[in-house]
Amino acid sequence: MGHRPSLLDEPRRERASGPRLAVVGNPENRRVALFEDAVRGAGLPAPRVVPWADVLRDGGADFAAEEIVRLDSPGENPEVDRLLRGATDPTRVEGSGRWYARFTTAVRSLRGGVRLDDPDELAVLFDKRLCHAVLDAAGVPVPASPTSGPQGAPVRGWDDVRAAMREHRMPRLFVKPAHGSSASGVLAVESGGGGRIRATTSVELAGDGGLYNSLRVRRYEREQDIAAIVDALAPDGLHLERWLPKAAQDGRAADLRVVVVAGRATHAVVRTSRSPLTNLHLGGRRGDLDSVRAAVEAAGARWTDLLDVCERAAACFPRTLCVGVDLLPAVGWGRAAVGEVNAFGDLLPRLTGLPGSGAEGLDSYAAQVAAARGDLARYRTGTPHA
């Protein structure tokens, strides 16, 4: 990757007359607070906060031509969740298909401004089937998938999953809601001799057949229970991926979340777990990044090559300022594949930039503010979309 100028080296505009930023988000959410702190820390006027709830109720929002508009996650707000999914219980898993349709419509209802998140790219990022196909076509290493792309095999229920496992010789695979996030509804499925089957997931299957998100990872070993979960999720759209064996750190499965800002891999965190799900809110914990770098180099690979994989994934979405890439290191640490690319994958509080990234001393939000101020040419003015 070589030496790169710091994001702090970008020409600084007069603070009092600097660019005006706006953020569409949930005002009470820490994501918005962290972004506000980053904007003020750059000496700029506080950003205008446009609540997602207002956008959804009013059928859109308008921005001045010179406003730089950032979109943030609509999650963790019960009212917004109700407007998007139509569910009265935010812990329910079902409804991601409706969420996707309403969210992408809401994004396209925003008018004007210079947009740091492209509506068309967001529509791909929030459909794992489409995102996988885009990455694969660009030569980014990804797990094999029979559901990738618009022509991928449909998954109408558990019978289709079983058929895919046989036909594609995938005894171990991940079943993912196509429009899910934060591991909601994800099942790590593995089969064995004698027809044995097991699924590891955070989904709690209630007695009435309802599915609920839980902070406890559990295992289901009765096929009828696994089938019931998959059958309930299928109407929202499902994506299947081969389960790649991952490298380990201290006896725990490990992967990385790498934040890419304006094309540069700026921040990285190691996530480790005793289960196949490494999400920190599900009991995963942060690993040691220096140990990962040492393991990669001991395997005869280069740490910069792994970061390059993440940057190649982000390059598939050139009109979106920031993405979070889930990098799956192979056993032995010599290679890696991309599991997902997340539009709102930048929540890494108190973590500063990687050495040589140009974002040293900056958290992920400050890095985005600095990059947005110096590289607006690639982002188009927001216009209504059909």
Side-chain angles (χ1 to χ4, degrees):
M1 290 165 58
H3 174 71
R4 293 173 171 171
S6 170
L7 296 174
L8 293 171
D9 294 335
E10 300 287 357
R12 296 182 67 85
R13 297 173 176 83
E14 179 64 34
R15 290 184 175 223
S17 59
R20 187 59 187 254
L21 285 93
V23 56
V24 183
N26 296 328
E28 77 287 353
N29 194 277
R30 60 176 174 164
R31 291 173 176 269
V32 171
L34 288 167
F35 181 68
E36 289 177 312
D37 290 345
V39 172
R40 294 191 189 96
L44 297 172
R48 181 164 73 100
V49 179
V50 178
W52 274 118
D54 291 353
V55 171
L56 291 163
R57 292 195 197 99
D58 299 342
D62 293 287
F63 299 89
E66 70 277 5
E67 269 188 304
I68 302 171
V69 184
R70 164 191 167 85
L71 306 187
D72 217 325
S73 171
E76 301 179 0
N77 180 297
E79 174 63 10
V80 171
D81 185 69
R82 185 188 66 79
L83 292 168
L84 287 172
R85 289 198 303 137
T88 56
D89 186 342
T91 66
R92 288 295 290 262
V93 179
E94 306 95 324
S96 60
R98 184 183 296 112
W99 182 99
Y100 176 77
R102 292 180 178 178
F103 174 71
T104 52
T105 297
V107 170
R108 296 181 190 281
S109 73
L110 304 175
R111 299 171 292 270
V114 180
R115 308 278 278 282
L116 301 181
D117 309 85
D118 181 77
D120 295 333
E121 292 181 355
L122 283 177
V124 174
L125 286 164
F126 278 102
D127 189 321
K128 299 183 196 307
R129 301 162 299 190
L130 298 180
C131 186
H132 185 282
V134 167
L135 297 172
D136 193 32
V140 176
V142 288
S145 171
T147 57
S148 181
Q151 305 306 316
V155 181
R156 292 155 298 202
W158 176 244
D159 288 344
D160 287 342
V161 175
R162 271 297 212 179
M165 294 173 75
R166 291 191 303 268
E167 294 169 13
H168 297 276
R169 298 182 180 180
M170 299 169 66
R172 303 169 80 237
L173 83 167
F174 279 90
V175 180
K176 301 179 177 182
H179 312 298
S181 62
S182 302
S184 176
V186 173
L187 295 92
V189 179
E190 48 195 326
S191 58
R196 289 177 296 129
I197 195 84
R198 180 170 67 185
T200 304
T201 180
S202 63
V203 173
E204 180 180 354
L205 176 62
D208 63 359
L211 308 183
Y212 295 84
N213 282 308
S214 169
L215 295 179
R216 182 172 72 85
V217 175
R218 65 198 70 212
R219 287 179 173 174
Y220 293 95
E221 297 186 345
R222 292 200 314 164
E223 186 163 1
Q224 65 190 73
D225 292 335
I226 301 169
I229 295 172
V230 172
D231 289 346
L233 292 173
D236 286 317
L238 290 174
H239 177 56
L240 309 181
E241 287 183 349
R242 185 180 298 277
W243 179 346
L244 300 179
K246 290 193 292 190
Q249 186 175 92
D250 298 329
R252 298 164 61 90
D255 62 18
L256 293 95
R257 166 64 58 84
V258 179
V259 173
V260 182
V261 178
R264 305 178 187 176
T266 57
H267 299 74
V269 63
V270 185
R271 306 181 302 185
T272 72
S273 176
R274 297 198 182 281
S275 87
L277 307 178
T278 58
N279 302 69
L280 299 180
H281 73 284
L282 296 179
R285 67 186 186 207
R286 289 192 180 187
D288 184 75
L289 189 61
D290 289 337
S291 295
V292 167
R293 296 182 66 160
V296 169
E297 292 165 5
R302 296 186 301 179
W303 168 244
T304 52
D305 290 341
L306 268 65
L307 296 184
D308 181 65
V309 170
C310 300
E311 293 177 353
R312 287 164 52 200
C316 295
F317 307 96
R319 295 186 301 275
T320 298
L321 176 67
C322 176
V323 294
V325 180
D326 289 345
L327 191 68
L328 313 177
V331 173
W333 294 100
R335 296 175 295 105
V338 171
E340 295 187 14
V341 182
N342 305 274
F344 303 133
D346 55 358
L347 182 61
L348 300 176
R350 300 178 299 280
L351 185 72
T352 54
L354 295 165
S357 68
E360 297 89 337
L362 303 178
D363 69 14
S364 60
Y365 295 92
Q368 291 172 68
V369 172
R373 296 178 70 181
D375 187 20
L376 291 180
R378 59 153 74 180
Y379 306 105
R380 63 187 181 189
T381 299
T383 54
H385 288 253

mmCIF file of all heavy atoms in Angstrom, residues 128-172:
data_model
loop_
_atom_site.group_PDB
_atom_site.id
_atom_site.type_symbol
_atom_site.label_atom_id
_atom_site.label_comp_id
_atom_site.label_asym_id
_atom_site.label_seq_id
_atom_site.Cartn_x
_atom_site.Cartn_y
_atom_site.Cartn_z
ATOM 1 N N LYS A 128 -27.785 -9.216 0.250
ATOM 2 C CA LYS A 128 -26.570 -10.028 0.272
ATOM 3 C C LYS A 128 -26.381 -10.801 -1.028
ATOM 4 O O LYS A 128 -25.248 -11.082 -1.427
ATOM 5 C CB LYS A 128 -26.587 -10.973 1.472
ATOM 6 C CG LYS A 128 -26.640 -10.266 2.826
ATOM 7 C CD LYS A 128 -26.581 -11.248 3.975
ATOM 8 C CE LYS A 128 -27.013 -10.612 5.287
ATOM 9 N NZ LYS A 128 -26.297 -9.392 5.622
ATOM 10 N N ARG A 129 -27.456 -11.155 -1.695
ATOM 11 C CA ARG A 129 -27.355 -11.894 -2.949
ATOM 12 C C ARG A 129 -26.753 -11.012 -4.036
ATOM 13 O O ARG A 129 -25.873 -11.449 -4.784
ATOM 14 C CB ARG A 129 -28.734 -12.398 -3.362
ATOM 15 C CG ARG A 129 -29.383 -13.318 -2.338
ATOM 16 C CD ARG A 129 -30.879 -13.453 -2.538
ATOM 17 N NE ARG A 129 -31.569 -12.161 -2.402
ATOM 18 C CZ ARG A 129 -32.880 -12.031 -2.337
ATOM 19 N NH1 ARG A 129 -33.671 -13.111 -2.395
ATOM 20 N NH2 ARG A 129 -33.441 -10.831 -2.220
ATOM 21 N N LEU A 130 -27.224 -9.781 -4.124
ATOM 22 C CA LEU A 130 -26.694 -8.861 -5.120
ATOM 23 C C LEU A 130 -25.261 -8.445 -4.791
ATOM 24 O O LEU A 130 -24.402 -8.372 -5.678
ATOM 25 C CB LEU A 130 -27.582 -7.614 -5.212
ATOM 26 C CG LEU A 130 -29.037 -7.836 -5.643
ATOM 27 C CD1 LEU A 130 -29.782 -6.511 -5.673
ATOM 28 C CD2 LEU A 130 -29.110 -8.524 -6.997
ATOM 29 N N CYS A 131 -25.001 -8.179 -3.519
ATOM 30 C CA CYS A 131 -23.667 -7.755 -3.101
ATOM 31 C C CYS A 131 -22.639 -8.843 -3.399
ATOM 32 O O CYS A 131 -21.549 -8.570 -3.917
ATOM 33 C CB CYS A 131 -23.678 -7.408 -1.622
ATOM 34 S SG CYS A 131 -22.130 -6.718 -1.004
ATOM 35 N N HIS A 132 -22.980 -10.085 -3.076
ATOM 36 C CA HIS A 132 -22.075 -11.200 -3.341
ATOM 37 C C HIS A 132 -21.738 -11.273 -4.821
ATOM 38 O O HIS A 132 -20.567 -11.466 -5.208
ATOM 39 C CB HIS A 132 -22.729 -12.501 -2.879
ATOM 40 C CG HIS A 132 -21.847 -13.704 -2.989
ATOM 41 N ND1 HIS A 132 -21.614 -14.345 -4.192
ATOM 42 C CD2 HIS A 132 -21.140 -14.398 -2.055
ATOM 43 C CE1 HIS A 132 -20.809 -15.376 -3.991
ATOM 44 N NE2 HIS A 132 -20.506 -15.427 -2.702
ATOM 45 N N ALA A 133 -22.733 -11.110 -5.688
ATOM 46 C CA ALA A 133 -22.504 -11.201 -7.129
ATOM 47 C C ALA A 133 -21.600 -10.079 -7.623
ATOM 48 O O ALA A 133 -20.731 -10.302 -8.479
ATOM 49 C CB ALA A 133 -23.836 -11.168 -7.870
ATOM 50 N N VAL A 134 -21.780 -8.869 -7.101
ATOM 51 C CA VAL A 134 -20.940 -7.746 -7.494
ATOM 52 C C VAL A 134 -19.488 -7.991 -7.094
ATOM 53 O O VAL A 134 -18.551 -7.762 -7.872
ATOM 54 C CB VAL A 134 -21.467 -6.443 -6.870
ATOM 55 C CG1 VAL A 134 -20.449 -5.318 -6.993
ATOM 56 C CG2 VAL A 134 -22.783 -6.032 -7.520
ATOM 57 N N LEU A 135 -19.281 -8.466 -5.876
ATOM 58 C CA LEU A 135 -17.925 -8.761 -5.408
ATOM 59 C C LEU A 135 -17.288 -9.859 -6.247
ATOM 60 O O LEU A 135 -16.122 -9.757 -6.675
ATOM 61 C CB LEU A 135 -17.952 -9.170 -3.936
ATOM 62 C CG LEU A 135 -18.436 -8.118 -2.934
ATOM 63 C CD1 LEU A 135 -18.601 -8.737 -1.551
ATOM 64 C CD2 LEU A 135 -17.476 -6.941 -2.875
ATOM 65 N N ASP A 136 -18.034 -10.919 -6.496
ATOM 66 C CA ASP A 136 -17.519 -12.052 -7.255
ATOM 67 C C ASP A 136 -17.127 -11.622 -8.669
ATOM 68 O O ASP A 136 -16.073 -12.006 -9.184
ATOM 69 C CB ASP A 136 -18.577 -13.153 -7.299
ATOM 70 C CG ASP A 136 -18.031 -14.485 -7.778
ATOM 71 O OD1 ASP A 136 -16.843 -14.786 -7.511
ATOM 72 O OD2 ASP A 136 -18.778 -15.225 -8.434
ATOM 73 N N ALA A 137 -17.956 -10.811 -9.311
ATOM 74 C CA ALA A 137 -17.666 -10.354 -10.668
ATOM 75 C C ALA A 137 -16.417 -9.482 -10.714
ATOM 76 O O ALA A 137 -15.728 -9.433 -11.742
ATOM 77 C CB ALA A 137 -18.865 -9.587 -11.218
ATOM 78 N N ALA A 138 -16.121 -8.797 -9.604
ATOM 79 C CA ALA A 138 -14.941 -7.931 -9.542
ATOM 80 C C ALA A 138 -13.681 -8.698 -9.155
ATOM 81 O O ALA A 138 -12.611 -8.098 -9.025
ATOM 82 C CB ALA A 138 -15.187 -6.799 -8.554
ATOM 83 N N GLY A 139 -13.795 -10.012 -8.939
ATOM 84 C CA GLY A 139 -12.636 -10.811 -8.564
ATOM 85 C C GLY A 139 -12.282 -10.757 -7.104
ATOM 86 O O GLY A 139 -11.198 -11.216 -6.704
ATOM 87 N N VAL A 140 -13.181 -10.228 -6.278
ATOM 88 C CA VAL A 140 -12.951 -10.215 -4.828
ATOM 89 C C VAL A 140 -13.245 -11.616 -4.291
ATOM 90 O O VAL A 140 -14.291 -12.184 -4.597
ATOM 91 C CB VAL A 140 -13.861 -9.182 -4.137
ATOM 92 C CG1 VAL A 140 -13.694 -9.234 -2.620
ATOM 93 C CG2 VAL A 140 -13.573 -7.786 -4.664
ATOM 94 N N PRO A 141 -12.349 -12.224 -3.525
ATOM 95 C CA PRO A 141 -12.605 -13.576 -3.016
ATOM 96 C C PRO A 141 -13.796 -13.587 -2.061
ATOM 97 O O PRO A 141 -13.850 -12.797 -1.110
ATOM 98 C CB PRO A 141 -11.305 -13.950 -2.299
ATOM 99 C CG PRO A 141 -10.629 -12.641 -1.994
ATOM 100 C CD PRO A 141 -11.022 -11.712 -3.096
ATOM 101 N N VAL A 142 -14.751 -14.472 -2.323
ATOM 102 C CA VAL A 142 -15.954 -14.612 -1.504
ATOM 103 C C VAL A 142 -16.274 -16.090 -1.362
ATOM 104 O O VAL A 142 -15.861 -16.905 -2.189
ATOM 105 C CB VAL A 142 -17.168 -13.877 -2.138
ATOM 106 C CG1 VAL A 142 -17.017 -12.367 -2.030
ATOM 107 C CG2 VAL A 142 -17.352 -14.289 -3.596
ATOM 108 N N PRO A 143 -17.019 -16.489 -0.334
ATOM 109 C CA PRO A 143 -17.435 -17.883 -0.221
ATOM 110 C C PRO A 143 -18.353 -18.249 -1.387
ATOM 111 O O PRO A 143 -19.107 -17.409 -1.897
ATOM 112 C CB PRO A 143 -18.199 -17.928 1.109
ATOM 113 C CG PRO A 143 -17.770 -16.698 1.850
ATOM 114 C CD PRO A 143 -17.479 -15.675 0.812
ATOM 115 N N ALA A 144 -18.296 -19.495 -1.811
ATOM 116 C CA ALA A 144 -19.182 -19.950 -2.881
ATOM 117 C C ALA A 144 -20.629 -19.821 -2.455
ATOM 118 O O ALA A 144 -20.969 -20.028 -1.280
ATOM 119 C CB ALA A 144 -18.860 -21.397 -3.247
ATOM 120 N N SER A 145 -21.500 -19.484 -3.420
ATOM 121 C CA SER A 145 -22.921 -19.311 -3.105
ATOM 122 C C SER A 145 -23.794 -19.701 -4.285
ATOM 123 O O SER A 145 -23.577 -19.206 -5.393
ATOM 124 C CB SER A 145 -23.218 -17.859 -2.728
ATOM 125 O OG SER A 145 -24.615 -17.648 -2.632
ATOM 126 N N PRO A 146 -24.804 -20.543 -4.065
ATOM 127 C CA PRO A 146 -25.744 -20.871 -5.137
ATOM 128 C C PRO A 146 -26.845 -19.836 -5.304
ATOM 129 O O PRO A 146 -27.632 -19.916 -6.255
ATOM 130 C CB PRO A 146 -26.326 -22.216 -4.686
ATOM 131 C CG PRO A 146 -26.279 -22.149 -3.196
ATOM 132 C CD PRO A 146 -25.032 -21.369 -2.863
ATOM 133 N N THR A 147 -26.931 -18.857 -4.396
ATOM 134 C CA THR A 147 -28.006 -17.864 -4.458
ATOM 135 C C THR A 147 -27.511 -16.514 -4.935
ATOM 136 O O THR A 147 -28.261 -15.534 -4.933
ATOM 137 C CB THR A 147 -28.658 -17.700 -3.072
ATOM 138 O OG1 THR A 147 -27.651 -17.340 -2.104
ATOM 139 C CG2 THR A 147 -29.342 -18.989 -2.635
ATOM 140 N N SER A 148 -26.280 -16.425 -5.387
ATOM 141 C CA SER A 148 -25.664 -15.152 -5.731
ATOM 142 C C SER A 148 -26.262 -14.567 -7.007
ATOM 143 O O SER A 148 -26.426 -15.254 -8.014
ATOM 144 C CB SER A 148 -24.159 -15.356 -5.914
ATOM 145 O OG SER A 148 -23.511 -14.144 -6.236
ATOM 146 N N GLY A 149 -26.568 -13.279 -6.954
ATOM 147 C CA GLY A 149 -27.013 -12.566 -8.134
ATOM 148 C C GLY A 149 -28.488 -12.727 -8.433
ATOM 149 O O GLY A 149 -29.175 -13.575 -7.854
ATOM 150 N N PRO A 150 -29.003 -11.912 -9.373
ATOM 151 C CA PRO A 150 -30.427 -11.975 -9.720
ATOM 152 C C PRO A 150 -30.861 -13.337 -10.252
ATOM 153 O O PRO A 150 -32.042 -13.695 -10.146
ATOM 154 C CB PRO A 150 -30.569 -10.893 -10.806
ATOM 155 C CG PRO A 150 -29.404 -9.982 -10.604
ATOM 156 C CD PRO A 150 -28.294 -10.849 -10.100
ATOM 157 N N GLN A 151 -29.928 -14.095 -10.844
ATOM 158 C CA GLN A 151 -30.270 -15.404 -11.389
ATOM 159 C C GLN A 151 -29.962 -16.540 -10.419
ATOM 160 O O GLN A 151 -30.002 -17.715 -10.803
ATOM 161 C CB GLN A 151 -29.496 -15.632 -12.710
ATOM 162 C CG GLN A 151 -29.704 -14.546 -13.744
ATOM 163 C CD GLN A 151 -31.165 -14.299 -14.056
ATOM 164 O OE1 GLN A 151 -31.946 -15.240 -14.227
ATOM 165 N NE2 GLN A 151 -31.549 -13.026 -14.122
ATOM 166 N N GLY A 152 -29.634 -16.196 -9.176
ATOM 167 C CA GLY A 152 -29.337 -17.222 -8.183
ATOM 168 C C GLY A 152 -30.550 -18.076 -7.867
ATOM 169 O O GLY A 152 -31.699 -17.691 -8.101
ATOM 170 N N ALA A 153 -30.278 -19.245 -7.334
ATOM 171 C CA ALA A 153 -31.361 -20.173 -7.003
ATOM 172 C C ALA A 153 -32.231 -19.593 -5.893
ATOM 173 O O ALA A 153 -31.711 -19.113 -4.880
ATOM 174 C CB ALA A 153 -30.784 -21.516 -6.568
ATOM 175 N N PRO A 154 -33.553 -19.625 -6.031
ATOM 176 C CA PRO A 154 -34.422 -19.133 -4.960
ATOM 177 C C PRO A 154 -34.445 -20.105 -3.789
ATOM 178 O O PRO A 154 -34.261 -21.316 -3.963
ATOM 179 C CB PRO A 154 -35.797 -19.051 -5.637
ATOM 180 C CG PRO A 154 -35.740 -20.106 -6.703
ATOM 181 C CD PRO A 154 -34.319 -20.109 -7.195
ATOM 182 N N VAL A 155 -34.639 -19.585 -2.604
ATOM 183 C CA VAL A 155 -34.759 -20.415 -1.406
ATOM 184 C C VAL A 155 -36.165 -20.205 -0.855
ATOM 185 O O VAL A 155 -36.456 -19.186 -0.229
ATOM 186 C CB VAL A 155 -33.701 -20.047 -0.349
ATOM 187 C CG1 VAL A 155 -33.840 -20.953 0.873
ATOM 188 C CG2 VAL A 155 -32.299 -20.164 -0.934
ATOM 189 N N ARG A 156 -37.029 -21.177 -1.110
ATOM 190 C CA ARG A 156 -38.428 -21.054 -0.685
ATOM 191 C C ARG A 156 -38.681 -21.690 0.664
ATOM 192 O O ARG A 156 -39.773 -21.567 1.220
ATOM 193 C CB ARG A 156 -39.323 -21.693 -1.750
ATOM 194 C CG ARG A 156 -39.334 -20.938 -3.071
ATOM 195 C CD ARG A 156 -39.673 -21.814 -4.251
ATOM 196 N NE ARG A 156 -38.682 -22.872 -4.430
ATOM 197 C CZ ARG A 156 -38.483 -23.512 -5.592
ATOM 198 N NH1 ARG A 156 -39.210 -23.200 -6.646
ATOM 199 N NH2 ARG A 156 -37.572 -24.458 -5.670
ATOM 200 N N GLY A 157 -37.668 -22.382 1.195
ATOM 201 C CA GLY A 157 -37.828 -23.013 2.490
ATOM 202 C C GLY A 157 -36.709 -24.001 2.741
ATOM 203 O O GLY A 157 -35.716 -24.081 1.992
ATOM 204 N N TRP A 158 -36.846 -24.778 3.807
ATOM 205 C CA TRP A 158 -35.812 -25.701 4.231
ATOM 206 C C TRP A 158 -35.510 -26.762 3.178
ATOM 207 O O TRP A 158 -34.351 -27.158 3.004
ATOM 208 C CB TRP A 158 -36.214 -26.354 5.545
ATOM 209 C CG TRP A 158 -35.256 -27.400 6.027
ATOM 210 C CD1 TRP A 158 -35.488 -28.731 6.196
ATOM 211 C CD2 TRP A 158 -33.882 -27.198 6.402
ATOM 212 N NE1 TRP A 158 -34.367 -29.371 6.653
ATOM 213 C CE2 TRP A 158 -33.359 -28.453 6.793
ATOM 214 C CE3 TRP A 158 -33.046 -26.084 6.454
ATOM 215 C CZ2 TRP A 158 -32.049 -28.625 7.221
ATOM 216 C CZ3 TRP A 158 -31.729 -26.250 6.885
ATOM 217 C CH2 TRP A 158 -31.245 -27.508 7.261
ATOM 218 N N ASP A 159 -36.501 -27.212 2.438
ATOM 219 C CA ASP A 159 -36.254 -28.221 1.415
ATOM 220 C C ASP A 159 -35.260 -27.712 0.379
ATOM 221 O O ASP A 159 -34.408 -28.475 -0.100
ATOM 222 C CB ASP A 159 -37.560 -28.621 0.726
ATOM 223 C CG ASP A 159 -38.463 -29.454 1.634
ATOM 224 O OD1 ASP A 159 -37.967 -29.965 2.652
ATOM 225 O OD2 ASP A 159 -39.663 -29.572 1.310
ATOM 226 N N ASP A 160 -35.335 -26.433 0.029
ATOM 227 C CA ASP A 160 -34.381 -25.865 -0.928
ATOM 228 C C ASP A 160 -32.978 -25.786 -0.335
ATOM 229 O O ASP A 160 -31.981 -25.960 -1.045
ATOM 230 C CB ASP A 160 -34.835 -24.478 -1.371
ATOM 231 C CG ASP A 160 -36.027 -24.522 -2.305
ATOM 232 O OD1 ASP A 160 -36.297 -25.592 -2.887
ATOM 233 O OD2 ASP A 160 -36.696 -23.479 -2.461
ATOM 234 N N VAL A 161 -32.878 -25.510 0.959
ATOM 235 C CA VAL A 161 -31.563 -25.485 1.607
ATOM 236 C C VAL A 161 -30.948 -26.878 1.581
ATOM 237 O O VAL A 161 -29.769 -27.049 1.223
ATOM 238 C CB VAL A 161 -31.670 -24.971 3.054
ATOM 239 C CG1 VAL A 161 -30.315 -25.068 3.762
ATOM 240 C CG2 VAL A 161 -32.170 -23.532 3.082
ATOM 241 N N ARG A 162 -31.721 -27.872 1.941
ATOM 242 C CA ARG A 162 -31.233 -29.245 1.921
ATOM 243 C C ARG A 162 -30.788 -29.652 0.523
ATOM 244 O O ARG A 162 -29.741 -30.293 0.332
ATOM 245 C CB ARG A 162 -32.332 -30.190 2.417
ATOM 246 C CG ARG A 162 -32.348 -30.415 3.907
ATOM 247 C CD ARG A 162 -31.092 -31.073 4.382
ATOM 248 N NE ARG A 162 -31.277 -31.942 5.537
ATOM 249 C CZ ARG A 162 -30.300 -32.631 6.089
ATOM 250 N NH1 ARG A 162 -29.072 -32.545 5.610
ATOM 251 N NH2 ARG A 162 -30.521 -33.398 7.131
ATOM 252 N N ALA A 163 -31.570 -29.271 -0.502
ATOM 253 C CA ALA A 163 -31.221 -29.598 -1.874
ATOM 254 C C ALA A 163 -29.909 -28.919 -2.282
ATOM 255 O O ALA A 163 -29.057 -29.530 -2.938
ATOM 256 C CB ALA A 163 -32.346 -29.189 -2.823
ATOM 257 N N ALA A 164 -29.732 -27.666 -1.882
ATOM 258 C CA ALA A 164 -28.496 -26.945 -2.205
ATOM 259 C C ALA A 164 -27.291 -27.584 -1.523
ATOM 260 O O ALA A 164 -26.204 -27.665 -2.109
ATOM 261 C CB ALA A 164 -28.624 -25.481 -1.793
ATOM 262 N N MET A 165 -27.468 -28.047 -0.295
ATOM 263 C CA MET A 165 -26.371 -28.699 0.414
ATOM 264 C C MET A 165 -25.916 -29.949 -0.333
ATOM 265 O O MET A 165 -24.710 -30.225 -0.441
ATOM 266 C CB MET A 165 -26.791 -29.039 1.841
ATOM 267 C CG MET A 165 -27.064 -27.818 2.714
ATOM 268 S SD MET A 165 -27.757 -28.213 4.349
ATOM 269 C CE MET A 165 -26.298 -28.849 5.185
ATOM 270 N N ARG A 166 -26.884 -30.679 -0.875
ATOM 271 C CA ARG A 166 -26.529 -31.895 -1.625
ATOM 272 C C ARG A 166 -25.921 -31.558 -2.983
ATOM 273 O O ARG A 166 -24.844 -32.053 -3.334
ATOM 274 C CB ARG A 166 -27.776 -32.762 -1.826
ATOM 275 C CG ARG A 166 -28.327 -33.411 -0.567
ATOM 276 C CD ARG A 166 -29.382 -34.448 -0.915
ATOM 277 N NE ARG A 166 -30.475 -33.870 -1.692
ATOM 278 C CZ ARG A 166 -31.585 -33.368 -1.141
ATOM 279 N NH1 ARG A 166 -31.730 -33.364 0.177
ATOM 280 N NH2 ARG A 166 -32.548 -32.869 -1.901
ATOM 281 N N GLU A 167 -26.606 -30.724 -3.736
ATOM 282 C CA GLU A 167 -26.197 -30.470 -5.120
ATOM 283 C C GLU A 167 -24.859 -29.745 -5.207
ATOM 284 O O GLU A 167 -24.102 -29.947 -6.168
ATOM 285 C CB GLU A 167 -27.281 -29.661 -5.822
ATOM 286 C CG GLU A 167 -28.596 -30.434 -5.993
ATOM 287 C CD GLU A 167 -29.732 -29.534 -6.435
ATOM 288 O OE1 GLU A 167 -29.446 -28.379 -6.852
ATOM 289 O OE2 GLU A 167 -30.899 -29.967 -6.367
ATOM 290 N N HIS A 168 -24.571 -28.885 -4.254
ATOM 291 C CA HIS A 168 -23.336 -28.099 -4.297
ATOM 292 C C HIS A 168 -22.280 -28.624 -3.321
ATOM 293 O O HIS A 168 -21.261 -27.965 -3.118
ATOM 294 C CB HIS A 168 -23.650 -26.627 -4.001
ATOM 295 C CG HIS A 168 -24.550 -26.004 -5.014
ATOM 296 N ND1 HIS A 168 -24.088 -25.484 -6.205
ATOM 297 C CD2 HIS A 168 -25.908 -25.855 -5.039
ATOM 298 C CE1 HIS A 168 -25.114 -25.015 -6.906
ATOM 299 N NE2 HIS A 168 -26.223 -25.223 -6.221
ATOM 300 N N ARG A 169 -22.555 -29.797 -2.755
ATOM 301 C CA ARG A 169 -21.600 -30.414 -1.830
ATOM 302 C C ARG A 169 -21.155 -29.428 -0.753
ATOM 303 O O ARG A 169 -19.974 -29.152 -0.558
ATOM 304 C CB ARG A 169 -20.401 -30.965 -2.598
ATOM 305 C CG ARG A 169 -20.793 -32.064 -3.588
ATOM 306 C CD ARG A 169 -19.598 -32.636 -4.300
ATOM 307 N NE ARG A 169 -19.997 -33.676 -5.238
ATOM 308 C CZ ARG A 169 -19.144 -34.372 -6.009
ATOM 309 N NH1 ARG A 169 -17.841 -34.112 -5.927
ATOM 310 N NH2 ARG A 169 -19.587 -35.291 -6.836
ATOM 311 N N MET A 170 -22.152 -28.928 -0.058
ATOM 312 C CA MET A 170 -21.929 -27.949 1.005
ATOM 313 C C MET A 170 -22.488 -28.509 2.309
ATOM 314 O O MET A 170 -23.577 -28.133 2.736
ATOM 315 C CB MET A 170 -22.593 -26.610 0.650
ATOM 316 C CG MET A 170 -22.044 -25.979 -0.613
ATOM 317 S SD MET A 170 -23.017 -24.556 -1.217
ATOM 318 C CE MET A 170 -22.771 -23.375 0.098
ATOM 319 N N PRO A 171 -21.771 -29.423 2.956
ATOM 320 C CA PRO A 171 -22.275 -29.967 4.221
ATOM 321 C C PRO A 171 -22.324 -28.941 5.343
ATOM 322 O O PRO A 171 -23.020 -29.135 6.334
ATOM 323 C CB PRO A 171 -21.285 -31.091 4.533
ATOM 324 C CG PRO A 171 -20.030 -30.693 3.826
ATOM 325 C CD PRO A 171 -20.470 -30.006 2.574
ATOM 326 N N ARG A 172 -21.585 -27.853 5.176
ATOM 327 C CA ARG A 172 -21.595 -26.773 6.170
ATOM 328 C C ARG A 172 -21.831 -25.459 5.420
ATOM 329 O O ARG A 172 -21.104 -25.147 4.461
ATOM 330 C CB ARG A 172 -20.281 -26.715 6.941
ATOM 331 C CG ARG A 172 -19.942 -28.019 7.649
ATOM 332 C CD ARG A 172 -18.522 -28.007 8.183
ATOM 333 N NE ARG A 172 -18.389 -27.292 9.444
ATOM 334 C CZ ARG A 172 -17.573 -26.273 9.653
ATOM 335 N NH1 ARG A 172 -16.826 -25.804 8.667
ATOM 336 N NH2 ARG A 172 -17.491 -25.698 10.834
#
